[in-house]
Amino acid sequence: MFTCKLALKDIVLSVNNVCTRHLSTKSIKTEKVLVVSKLSRYDFEKRKYKNVGETTFREELRRRGADMDKLVHYHDLHKKYEEKLLKTLESMDIVVKVVDRYSYTIEDVQNADIIMPVGGDGTFLLAASLVNNNEKPVIGFNSDPQRSEGYLCLPKKYSADIQGAIKKLQSGDFKWLLRNRIRTTMLTTDRTDTKPTFLHGCEIGTSIMKPLIIGEALQYLALNEVFVGETLSARVSHIQMRLNGSTENTNLKCSGICISTGTGSTSWHLSINRLPVQNVAELLRLLDIDPTEGKDSLATVLADIYNKNLIFAPDDKRMAYTIRELISAAVWPNPKGIKNRGFASKVEIKSNCYDASLVIDGGVSFSFNDGATVLLEVKPEDALRTVTFKN
């Protein structure tokens, strides 16, 4: 068994306790709470087949190989938890309004003291998408802590102690955490059709939908990441990129570019850049070390150290860019020298793509074809206000 001098526990703690900018603590007003409900897979399927009877609906799902009992089970699990949360809030004399993906509007955000997504990280991202300033708190509850990680929600123990969590918010027993987000400004576009495409089958915030105006920031701020690349994943993405205000373009061929926040560094950014234990073991064998790939092996410890270091603080002012599957050949990239991944304060990307998209938080996309140019940057006024509990 290999024991690393730097204990993995210490590494994990250092990642979780990275410097975060905490504001002076004060209590949160909780008179009016907006609950953003998770759209379960069962809900989604029912909407798709809303014009057929229950028997036909179930037969169609079974024909597709869906496990109907499983869909109903997890739907009921979420609804029971949501009902528990609503009863707890009402017992504390809190006025509650419940919305979902199909009914959520900016007016709901404006009329609430606090936004409470109930579900997992996907529901949290949905709730955050219509909060376009750093003043309205967004605090999530994980409705299925046994099956869902819910990194963006409160710690899992508060799924069972809802009243305890609310009392902490009311008493000021917390620290503010401002999660930085990416502002996306379209500098030029290739076409007049600038309407967004919603990737989950429905529009949100229709009351504030407006045409994309060149030189103005897009309506949606990215809490996790922005991705640009060809819509068809098998097609090579031709992209020009500038970092940190440089006047020199780097011409790239790749599978797209992912630009991540610190919040998103535990998500797609980590998945793209994660170093598998198998790869580490193969490198060690090249050094005439014959490691195993077991739980406590040298290869596993080194891979864990590397992967933990990919994560950075949610309030970090930098963005992390990753060039996916960069083609390195005689003339690519041009000029040479750009790293596959790194940090930047500003990223400017120009498309030379055929049928590409710019995708924000995996939920909304814009056309990003040849000639379109976008500027990505972090502004303090765009941060999302969340909390961490002291204990």
Side-chain angles (χ1 to χ4, degrees):
M1 180 186 297
F2 175 80
T3 302
C4 183
K5 291 183 180 179
L6 182 59
L8 284 180
K9 180 180 179 181
D10 295 333
I11 296 169
V12 174
L13 288 175
S14 67
V15 170
N16 289 334
N17 295 320
V18 283
C19 290
T20 54
R21 178 162 55 97
H22 292 121
L23 305 181
S24 57
T25 301
K26 62 179 181 179
S27 62
I28 294 179
K29 185 179 179 183
T30 58
E31 292 178 8
K32 295 185 289 184
V33 170
L34 179 66
V35 171
V36 181
S37 177
K38 172 186 174 71
L39 180 71
S40 70
R41 174 71 183 278
Y42 178 80
D43 280 329
F44 178 74
E45 295 292 353
K46 283 290 286 184
R47 282 183 171 271
K48 282 177 61 178
Y49 295 97
K50 61 184 178 181
N51 296 322
V52 303
E54 183 68 18
T55 300
T56 304
F57 167 65
R58 288 176 175 267
E59 288 177 351
E60 179 61 24
L61 260 63
R62 289 194 179 97
R63 182 189 65 79
R64 288 165 40 197
D67 187 333
M68 191 66 184
D69 293 336
K70 190 175 181 180
L71 291 182
V72 173
H73 170 74
Y74 288 120
H75 170 79
D76 290 344
L77 194 69
H78 165 70
K79 287 301 179 184
K80 287 178 181 177
Y81 182 82
E82 184 180 293
E83 183 179 354
K84 175 185 174 182
L85 181 134
L86 296 179
K87 287 182 177 179
T88 301
L89 294 176
E90 291 166 358
S91 72
M92 301 175 75
D93 296 323
I94 295 172
V95 177
V96 183
K97 180 178 181 180
V98 182
V99 296
D100 62 15
R101 181 177 294 276
Y102 294 89
S103 59
Y104 187 30
T105 68
I106 191 63
E107 286 82 3
D108 294 323
V109 174
Q110 294 170 343
N111 293 331
D113 296 321
I114 182 173
I115 315 299
M116 283 189 180
V118 181
D121 285 348
T123 309
F124 192 99
L125 288 170
L126 167 67
S129 67
L130 294 189
V131 180
N132 288 325
N133 59 53
N134 65 3
E135 298 177 1
K136 190 79 64 171
V138 180
I139 298 165
F141 285 87
N142 193 333
S143 62
D144 187 5
Q146 301 303 317
R147 195 170 64 104
S148 169
E149 290 294 339
Y151 287 111
L152 299 176
C153 299
L154 291 176
K156 292 182 179 181
K157 70 176 183 178
Y158 292 106
S159 293
D161 186 16
I162 299 170
Q163 188 173 71
I166 301 302
K167 287 182 176 179
K168 280 181 174 287
L169 298 176
Q170 292 173 334
S171 66
D173 187 16
F174 62 85
K175 292 182 179 180
W176 290 118
L177 172 59
L178 296 184
R179 293 180 177 271
N180 276 321
R181 295 188 283 185
I182 299 174
R183 178 185 294 193
T184 305
T185 302
M186 198 71 76
L187 302 180
T188 63
T189 186
D190 65 303
R191 52 191 283 185
T192 56
D193 179 11
T194 56
K195 293 182 179 179
T197 298
F198 294 87
L199 305 183
H200 298 292
C202 63
E203 295 186 1
I204 56 173
T206 53
S207 61
I208 57 167
M209 289 305 301
K210 61 182 181 180
L212 188 155
I213 300 175
I214 304 304
E216 288 192 4
L218 299 185
Q219 172 184 337
Y220 301 96
L221 297 167
L223 179 58
N224 267 354
E225 74 278 310
V226 175
F227 176 78
V228 295
E230 288 283 359
T231 302
L232 181 62
S233 59
R235 183 180 285 134
V236 174
S237 298
H238 293 245
I239 292 171
Q240 298 178 40
M241 184 165 70
R242 295 180 183 178
L243 300 175
N244 301 321
S246 171
T247 58
E248 184 179 64
N249 282 323
T250 299
N251 292 282
L252 307 168
K253 283 186 178 181
C254 59
S255 296
I257 300 175
C258 179
I259 301 93
S260 172
T261 63
T263 295
S265 67
T266 63
S267 185
W268 198 0
H269 169 80
L270 180 61
S271 297
I272 294 173
N273 295 295
R274 183 188 297 275
L275 190 60
V277 174
Q278 177 186 357
N279 290 15
V280 178
E282 290 174 358
L283 287 171
L284 291 173
R285 291 188 187 101
L286 293 176
L287 299 173
D288 292 328
I289 299 173
D290 189 17
T292 65
E293 297 177 24
K295 180 180 179 181
D296 298 310
S297 69
L298 172 59
T300 299
V301 170
L302 291 176
D304 283 345
I305 293 172
Y306 178 90
N307 293 332
K308 290 294 191 299
N309 284 327
L310 293 171
I311 300 170
F312 59 106
D315 59 351
D316 197 309
K317 297 179 181 179
R318 301 171 300 169
M319 299 172 287
Y321 73 87
T322 303
I323 306 170
R324 295 175 68 205
E325 298 167 336
L326 175 65
I327 294 177
S328 296
V331 296
W332 298 98
N334 181 26
K336 298 286 187 180
I338 193 167
K339 296 181 179 180
N340 288 53
R341 65 178 180 87
F343 289 99
S345 58
K346 289 185 179 181
V347 179
E348 187 176 322
I349 299 174
K350 182 177 180 180
S351 172
N352 295 131
C353 296
Y354 174 73
D355 181 22
S357 296
L358 181 150
V359 185
I360 298 174
D361 281 342
V364 59
S365 73
F366 294 84
S367 173
F368 194 65
N369 295 328
D370 190 26
T373 306
V374 69
L375 174 65
L376 306 173
E377 53 191 340
V378 171
K379 300 285 187 179
E381 61 267 31
D382 294 335
L384 185 73
R385 183 176 291 267
T386 62
V387 302
T388 58
F389 286 153
K390 297 175 182 177
N391 299 322

